[in-house]
Amino acid sequence: MTDTAHPLVVRARRLAADLLVPEAERVDQEGVPVSHIEAVKESGLLGVVAPVAYGGSGAPPAVLRETAEILAGACCSTWFVQTQHHTPVQTLAKSELPVRERLLGPLARGELLSGVAYAHLRAHPRVPVRVRREGGGWRFDGTVPWYTGWGLNDVMLLAGVTEADEALFAFVEARDQPGLRASPPLRLAALTAARTVSLELDGLQVPEEAVALRTPYESWAPGDRARTLNTVPAVFGIAEAALSALDEEAAGPLRARLADVRRRAYALADHPAPLERIAERLTVRAEAYDVLGTVTTAAVVAGGGRAMSLTNRAQRLAREGLFLLVQGQTAETRAAHLRSLARGSAVGGGSAVGGGSAVGGA
């Protein structure tokens, strides 16, 4: 069975065509509705990589990538809310702690939707969220700068750093409660619809039985680094959506470039040693952004003045492309991307987004 014929890929395409694409411009302006989340839950897509024994599909990574491309290209805000869910599922699938038996089934079956609050760990050795023993559990203090899906998620996987320099992850209900307060929704240039807030933690009490992972930070960090080195599938989903706004004369060469970088990106993602060929991974990642910028710019150009309307699809895709430039960004990926942009500018002397210099790229 090819990835394209996998039942979850078929369901993702149906969900995109029937609901996400027709509603995307309205959602972009008004926010992801609960009804969209219910539709995603019912589709089975939340369990795409979850173990079959717990109600998931146990699909290979290629299926997860394909469904991510479809959802992101249809409605990036909805994709971004639901994509957070897969990290908690994968964390529980590897966990041997009691919370696995309590939550993995409901998450795998789509009965619950989980968000994540752990990107701040990448600021280490600075510690935005501190965790320490208190009573029979753990106390969380600090600030989570970004949390997506507030008001849509049922639970969150919250992380902090202990006094022993451990990364500790625990599940918490995604709601205001003693010790946890959310800011008003953040107004962003793109994906405001995904309901992103910041979280203030002031003595949040979390019981021991909610802990899903506790490991030395130095043991957790390499795996996280490996994830950030590869290209996010949403890049290709949005680029494909933008290509559909172009005639074949304009789209043909861009489609060939996109297919080439996609093939190389996924070959690297499937490489058995995730921390090998780092320079190549960063180069391909920058190339993918380069193509994304060119394709979304072309869609805006093709749309003319109409593309400046906030209800215009090309303009929305261009803003979503900008969002992906910084989503999951680390100091390492930022530096590599900036070097690529500088090289492209020096060679072509044009704009790094959509200009002649971007074609040669990294």
Side-chain angles (χ1 to χ4, degrees):
M1 178 183 295
T2 65
D3 298 334
T4 301
H6 192 282
L8 287 179
V9 173
V10 174
R11 286 184 217 167
R13 293 195 184 283
R14 185 180 305 121
L15 178 65
D18 294 348
L19 178 64
L20 302 186
V21 171
E23 295 287 321
E25 276 65 57
R26 183 181 67 81
V27 166
D28 178 61
Q29 296 301 305
E30 299 178 8
V32 176
V34 172
S35 57
H36 271 42
I37 298 305
E38 291 303 318
V40 173
K41 286 180 174 180
E42 292 170 6
S43 72
L45 291 168
L46 294 180
V48 58
V49 293
V52 173
Y54 287 82
S57 295
V63 173
L64 178 62
R65 293 194 296 250
E66 181 73 12
T67 56
E69 286 189 24
I70 294 166
L71 297 183
C75 177
C76 194
S77 293
T78 301
W79 162 79
F80 193 52
V81 171
Q82 67 81 43
T83 198
Q84 319 291 319
H85 181 88
H86 302 297
T87 294
V89 167
Q90 292 167 328
T91 300
L92 283 176
K94 297 174 183 176
S95 179
E96 297 179 355
L97 297 174
V99 71
R100 171 187 170 121
E101 297 308 312
R102 179 166 64 89
L103 285 181
L104 183 52
L107 293 177
R109 295 189 295 269
E111 296 165 7
L112 297 176
L113 177 70
S114 181
V116 293
Y118 77 90
H120 50 274
L121 292 184
R122 296 169 185 154
H124 194 273
R126 186 168 60 84
V127 182
V129 176
R130 297 187 177 275
V131 186
R132 62 181 174 86
R133 277 285 187 187
E134 188 165 284
W138 298 91
R139 172 182 173 131
F140 283 73
D141 290 280
T143 301
V144 175
W146 303 91
Y147 178 78
T148 294
W150 188 255
L152 297 170
N153 296 321
D154 302 294
V155 295
M156 73 173 81
L157 183 60
L158 172 65
V161 177
T162 71
E163 294 171 310
D165 207 36
E166 300 163 309
L168 187 146
F169 291 73
F171 281 93
V172 178
E173 289 188 31
R175 59 175 178 81
D176 281 327
Q177 55 188 287
L180 188 161
R181 181 172 55 85
S183 73
L186 304 178
R187 294 293 300 171
L188 307 173
L191 272 71
T192 288
R195 303 198 194 186
T196 297
V197 298
S198 62
L199 302 175
E200 291 299 323
L201 307 172
D202 184 12
L204 175 67
Q205 301 292 319
V206 178
E208 180 67 40
E209 56 267 26
V211 174
L213 175 67
R214 180 183 169 197
T215 188
Y217 182 86
E218 63 182 17
S219 299
W220 173 82
D224 181 66
R225 181 193 181 200
R227 285 189 292 273
T228 64
L229 294 172
N230 292 316
T231 309
V232 179
V235 168
F236 304 113
I238 291 176
E240 285 284 359
L243 279 173
S244 68
L246 306 177
D247 62 31
E248 191 53 38
E249 181 180 2
L254 295 173
R255 184 174 290 112
R257 286 181 57 200
L258 182 66
D260 174 65
V261 72
R262 181 181 187 270
R263 174 186 56 77
R264 289 184 285 128
Y266 287 167
L268 288 167
D270 289 333
H271 190 277
L275 287 175
E276 289 185 3
R277 300 169 69 177
I278 289 175
E280 184 179 358
R281 292 175 193 273
L282 291 171
T283 295
V284 171
R285 190 177 189 272
E287 283 187 61
Y289 287 133
D290 184 26
V291 177
L292 175 64
T294 300
V295 172
T296 54
T297 299
V300 170
V301 172
R306 294 186 302 277
M308 291 300 99
S309 168
L310 286 175
T311 59
N312 183 269
R313 183 168 181 248
Q315 176 269 143
R316 172 178 60 81
L317 292 170
R319 286 188 290 107
E320 292 170 350
L322 288 175
F323 173 84
L324 293 183
L325 295 180
V326 298
Q327 188 258 325
Q329 185 187 67
T330 65
E332 181 179 29
T333 60
R334 180 189 302 115
H337 195 179
L338 289 172
R339 287 194 299 270
S340 173
L341 291 171
R343 285 196 300 271
S345 179
V347 171
S351 168
V353 179
S357 65
V359 177

